[in-house]
Structures are given as C-alpha cells and as structure tokens.
Amino acid sequence: MIKKMIPEHQAVWNNCLRIIRDNVNEKSFKTWFEPIVPIKLENNVLTIQVPSPFFYEYLEEQYIDLLKKTLRRELGNDAKLEYHIVMDKDSVSESPLTLKLPGKTTSEVKNNPVNVPLSDEKPVINPFAIPGIKKLNIDPHLNPSYSFDNFVEGECNKLARTAGYAIATHSPGSTSFNPFLIYGGNGLGKTHLAQAIGLETKERFPDKTVLYVNANKFQTQYYDSIRTGNVNDFIHFYQMIDVLIIDDIHDLGGKMKTQDIFFHIFNHLHQNGKQIILTSDKAPVDLQGMEQRLLSRFKWGLSADLQTPDFETRVAILQKKIYNDGIQMPQEIIEYLASTIVTNIRELHGALTSIHAHTLLTKKQITLEFAKEIIERLTKHTKKEVSIDYIKKVVCSYYNIHPDTLQQNTRKREIVQARQIAMYFSKNLTKSSLNVIGMQIGGKDHATVLHAYRTVKNLIETDKSFRLQVEEIERKLRI
Ligand code: ADP
Ligand code: MG
C-alpha cells in the first residue's frame, strides 16, 4: 500500500491536535484549534497561522501550557512556536512574530504588531452567532433605505455627514475619526447616518465585516452570554468586526458591567485599526452614568452633533420622501408641514404619511385645509395625554383580542406582544410611572415594563413588519 506523504509540519501538527483533542472539550477544540493552520517547520520552530490578534492572545492566555507540553513532546525541549497572525490586507508588515517557548509574551505583540498576510480568506469560526459561520457572512443588520442617498444634507448635519462619508469612503478605521460619535435629539437622524456609513462601507469594501447593533441589544446579548457561559465567544465575535456601529450608547448609562466589556472590545478594535461608530442622545460630557475611562476614549476621535434642520432642509427632506415613496403632494402642503413640524424628522415623515393615508382612505383631493385639520388633530393628540386604558383598547382592537386578556397570566406569544406594545406606548405617551403602567397592564412590576419597552424598541429597529404594525397602532392612537 502506498502511503500518501504529508508534509512534516502538517504531520507534527496533526499529532499535536490528537493530544490537544484529548485535553480540551469539543467546543473549545473546534473554536480554538481547528481554525489553526500549520505553515512550516524549520529548525524545530513550528509556525502556525491564527485568524486574528485576539485569537493569538487568547491561545497564549488559555492554552500556552498545553501547547508547550504538546509541542515539546513532539519536537523535544528546544521546540519553538511561531505565530502568523492574519490581519487585514492593507495592514501588512514583513516579519512574523516568533515566540520562544515557554513564555507569555503578550506585551511583545503590542510593541511589534504582527501582520503577516498569508491569506485572509480562511473562515474564522464564529461560535457566538452560529457555529461555523464565516466571518464574511455576518449579517450587518443594515436597513438599505438608510443610505447616504436618502440622507438629505443641510447645515444641521454638515460636519457629521461629511465625516461619516469620509470614514466610509476612505478605509474605515484609518481616519482620525475613530471612534466617531454622532449625537443629537430624538428623530434627528442618528440611526440613519450611522447606518449610512455601514452601508457605504459595505458597498466600497465588501470584505469588511460591518455590524450594527443598538446598545440595548448588545447588553442583552452580553447577559445571555453570561447566563449560558459563552462570554468568551461573545467577546470573540465582537472583536472580529471591522466596522462596529453601536446605536444609542446612552442606554448603557449606569450599566457598569456592560460598559466594562464594551471597554475591552473597544480597546481591542481600536488597537487593531478597526472603526467604531457610536450614537448618543447627548454630547459625551453630558452622558450620565458612564465610566470616565470610556468617556475619555470617546474623545480620541470625533464627536459631531445633529441639529434641528432649517426650513429649507425640512422641505428637502419631505420632497425626498415623496419622491422615494412615489406619492403626490402639493407644494403648499409640503411647506405647511415644514413650517409646523420643526424639531423631529421622524414626526415630519409621520405627518406626511398620515396625510397621504387620509387621502387614500377618503379618496378626497388633498387640500391645504384638510391637511391642516389632520395636523391639528395630530398635534392635539401629541400634546393631550392619552390614558393607559385608551392605549389598551386601541392595541387590543388592532390585534383583535379582548382587553381583559391582557390581564390574564398567560405567556401566549400574541398576548405577550400586545401587552408589551401597550406598555411601550404607555411609557411613551403618558406620564404614568413604570409601576403604575405595570399595575394597569397585566399586574406586572416596573422591571417587566422596562423590559417590554426595550424589547419593542429593539424590534422596531430590527424588524420591518413589526415596525409597520407599531407605526399603524401609533397612528390609530393619535387620530
Ligand atoms: P434618531 O436615531 O436620531 O432618533 P433616525 O435616524 O431614526 O433618528 O431618523 C428618524 C427618521 O428621520 C428616519 O426615518 C430617517 O430616515 C429620517 N431622517 C433623519 N435625518 C434625515 C435626513 N437628513 N434626511 C432624510 N431623512 C432623514
Ligand atoms: Mg435612533
């Protein structure tokens, strides 16, 4: 029988793997050892390729003893291990890092960044999302309508837009705008702009891994990873991202544990030239409950605010939407809307949609008088506090369930969701405390209400059909 010759380095590494497999659990083996590629064996130095600097650090921290013993068993006491660390194509240096065994030399890495571009096509195992997922396949969670094309430029957003565009069009991470923090009031376009940067990056650099996540979801994922014992996988996942967008960072105020983990991820990404984009409803100096060390890092890059748009920009924003949605609207109505709704672009869009919906429903020719009537009703309802009972009634009638079912102690999905949406609107549209809202909707406590509020907010941002439902309920609440 003819044996197929395999190269010596491969044979040595295969032997090592056999020993390692017996000493670590299946999941760790798959995560940390299967992705390693042996490269060569020269002068008793085995060179292995690892997918990222973090991967290298993790191996050194967790498995150096095992690697040391295994390698010595195979190659004798003077065995050495050398790492090739895969970095981005554009950050290349010539020499690999050699580490003598034994020894933990993580600090050497920081002084000598190691960037040997053997190949960056090797998939990185991503245990955090779906086992075996390829790095390039990570869903960036971007909404295609939040593009730069759809983002109207005005004095109110000039700096933020220009800087954001520069980040996306130059290699992200390589500008001095890192981190890039966009801040401003509700409905002024923070999410839209942050997503536009992600979309444009994907367009120009398809190989870059972009990820959009809001701070609440990040926090939930982190807690889940603690619960299931997967914190390392969670960190590893985030450290693989090239352009990380975290929306509504103010929601981490007071969440010290989450801030701590974010701090470490932030450092890793920043050190490796990855781009971080953040949004917040306040300037960094006004952020409450944030660790000083995080705040000081936010200042490393650029903070740019979004202000309320001026009249011309408001008109342009409406015209863009009219064009995109393919609807008709007389100019005088556009100008009326732009002069009435001044502080929130989301509401400006909402008013336009409302008027359009009314014309479709009533099949009437839209007149300025009619538009005024609708907007007056809209703004009257915005100002007038609606009651929790009213919200329950509207939500239940939308889902075709009896309001009493909200009080039942059931975990039926449909009921739970209706209850969460009712809680969400009660928090948004009434002045009632979380306790009172909880008591009136299902007899729950304030933590349940807060959780419901966050869940709905998350879903609005990530699930289009859910968002449309919520928007429709909101319109019904206001009419
Ligand atoms: P924020 O995150 O600041 O609360 P969003 O990004 O969600 O605000 O924006 C609210 C709505 O207004 C979105 O539908 C968005 O597309 C729209 N919008 C915001 N700024 C602009 C702009 N400059 N041009 C066009 N649409 C905008
Ligand atoms: Mg937002």
Side-chain angles (χ1 to χ4, degrees), residues 87-93 115 117 120 170-172 174 205 208 242 272-274:
M87 304 283 278
D88 281 354
K89 286 194 198 79
D90 38 12
S91 50
V92 169
S93 98
N115 318 314
D120 63 356
H170 297 74
S171 183
S174 68
F205 305 94
K208 293 239 184 245
D242 298 316
N272 287 289
K274 311 295 183 177

Side-chain angles (χ1 to χ4, degrees), residues 146 150-153 157 184-193 247-248 306 317 344-346 349:
Y146 285 157
N150 287 340
F151 191 81
V152 174
E153 188 173 345
N157 60 33
N186 188 9
L188 290 182
K190 300 181 293 297
T191 300
H192 187 144
L193 181 57
D247 204 358
D248 294 332
L306 294 177
I317 287 172
N344 184 324
I345 299 170
R346 190 177 296 116
H349 276 175

